[in-house]
Amino acid sequence: MWEMFLGGLPEDVYILASCNGLLCFYSISQEPALYVCNPANKQCLKLPPSSGGYISIGIAFDYEGGSIDSATNSAKFKLVKVVNAQPMISTDLRFQIYSSETRSWKMSNATCKGGILLKNKGIYLRGVLYWLGECKRILVFDVRTELALWILRPCAAKDTCSSSSCIGESNGTLHYVSLTKTLGLCVWSLEHYFGEWTLEYKMSFEDFKEQCERTFSKFLVDKSAVTPLAFKDWVLPLLIRGKDQFAVVINAVLANAYGPSLFATLNDLDVW
């Protein structure tokens, strides 16, 4: 599989980000470098060196809308590095941008007051990158206008700890997922970063617990930590830590088909 789709890469690499089929890798070989690869056409681009390190990385790539160069069949994308404005002095954030069209890096003028990013996963939607942050906030970077700001998570979820929440997308809209004993399993959506959150789905913790323990007879929710990992088109991978550790992928759309049952049957789940 590696030779078939990613044969142009060194073997010692980490996956840092993905977006609509593009993958960003960091090589830890003798010459550390960033790569952006398209496994569909086996193209791998080694990026030129950039100054300093980074806190997180996001890829901005729209498969539709003229983001494929017809002459070379290569993707037109931007890679955004979140960096410390002044390491060891300030926690303020800045944004370093690589453009595939200019084949060069530039430092954006945008600056955000400091904060810690969680889960190291940037979500790209309609020209905007989002990162889950601490202190009930989400970092926003508009790739088109280079506007950077923090927005608040849904008000009802402000008591949610970071380990029991994640962000993702469905139908081009940002979604925020939280799972707590107080609120249960909740999914909110946000059309625009200047808009208001809308509660799209809610299941009480008691119902969630009952569904879990009915589906997995040896699983006791109260004695385990359940962490949402990601969210994509209403598919929600959960990491469950208890006496045993395993991952469950659930499809919340099943709730519409099966009434209150989120888990439905084992045939509707992938379990590792």
Side-chain angles (χ1 to χ4, degrees):
M1 291 293 290
W2 185 270
E3 290 297 325
M4 184 180 299
F5 295 107
L6 299 168
L9 274 179
E11 291 188 0
D12 296 328
V13 294
Y14 288 104
I15 298 177
L16 297 180
S18 65
C19 180
N20 293 327
L22 294 189
L23 301 174
C24 176
F25 295 91
Y26 177 70
S27 167
I28 56 173
S29 60
Q30 293 182 350
E31 297 182 5
L34 289 171
Y35 293 82
V36 173
C37 300
N38 183 351
N41 59 14
K42 304 180 185 180
Q43 291 185 346
C44 286
L45 175 66
K46 182 179 179 180
L47 274 57
S50 60
S51 59
Y54 59 88
I55 299 170
S56 187
I57 282 180
I59 304 176
F61 171 60
D62 297 291
Y63 183 74
E64 299 176 350
S67 289
I68 301 294
D69 189 322
S70 58
T72 62
N73 195 34
S74 59
K76 294 187 286 186
F77 66 90
K78 290 184 178 179
L79 190 76
V80 179
K81 295 201 308 183
V82 184
V83 301
N84 277 123
Q86 295 178 298
M88 308 300 291
I89 299 175
S90 169
T91 59
D92 288 356
L93 303 177
R94 295 198 66 186
F95 302 86
Q96 201 170 13
I97 305 170
Y98 174 84
S99 170
S100 62
E101 295 186 89
T102 64
R103 298 291 180 101
S104 63
W105 292 92
K106 76 166 189 175
M107 184 66 77
S108 170
N109 292 325
T111 303
C112 251
K113 289 296 181 183
I116 296 175
L117 303 183
L118 307 171
K119 301 190 178 181
N120 192 31
K121 182 177 176 61
I123 303 294
Y124 178 72
L125 297 168
R126 296 185 293 185
V128 183
L129 279 162
Y130 300 89
W131 288 269
L132 185 64
E134 67 165 2
C135 299
K136 325 303 182 189
R137 300 184 299 173
I138 294 172
L139 178 63
V140 177
F141 182 73
D142 192 316
V143 180
R144 299 160 298 189
T145 64
E146 298 187 18
L147 171 68
L149 70 155
W150 291 98
I151 62 172
L152 294 176
R153 305 183 200 178
C155 292
K158 286 186 178 179
D159 63 343
T160 304
C161 67
S162 58
S163 63
S164 59
S165 63
C166 70
I167 57 173
E169 69 97 5
S170 179
N171 295 323
T173 302
L174 180 69
H175 283 67
Y176 175 82
V177 180
S178 69
L179 177 60
T180 64
K181 288 186 177 181
T182 304
L183 297 173
L185 177 63
C186 296
V187 181
W188 286 269
S189 66
L190 184 69
E191 288 287 341
H192 190 273
Y193 50 79
F194 285 136
E196 299 290 334
W197 290 99
T198 300
L199 181 62
E200 299 281 357
Y201 181 88
K202 181 176 175 62
M203 172 184 276
S204 71
F205 185 80
E206 290 73 21
D207 286 343
F208 176 81
K209 178 177 181 294
E210 180 184 351
Q211 295 290 339
C212 277
E213 294 177 357
R214 182 189 304 166
T215 306
F216 310 105
S217 57
K218 297 182 180 180
F219 172 46
L220 298 177
V221 174
D222 289 336
K223 296 184 179 180
S224 304
V226 185
T227 303
L229 298 177
F231 182 87
K232 171 67 175 176
D233 293 333
W234 290 92
V235 175
L236 176 65
L238 299 170
L239 179 63
I240 301 173
R241 297 184 182 92
K243 183 178 179 181
D244 299 312
Q245 177 170 305
F246 57 98
V248 178
V249 179
I250 63 176
N251 189 334
V253 174
L254 294 175
N256 296 327
Y258 296 93
S261 174
L262 179 65
F263 290 87
T265 65
L266 279 174
N267 293 330
D268 300 307
L269 299 175
D270 290 321
V271 182
W272 293 273

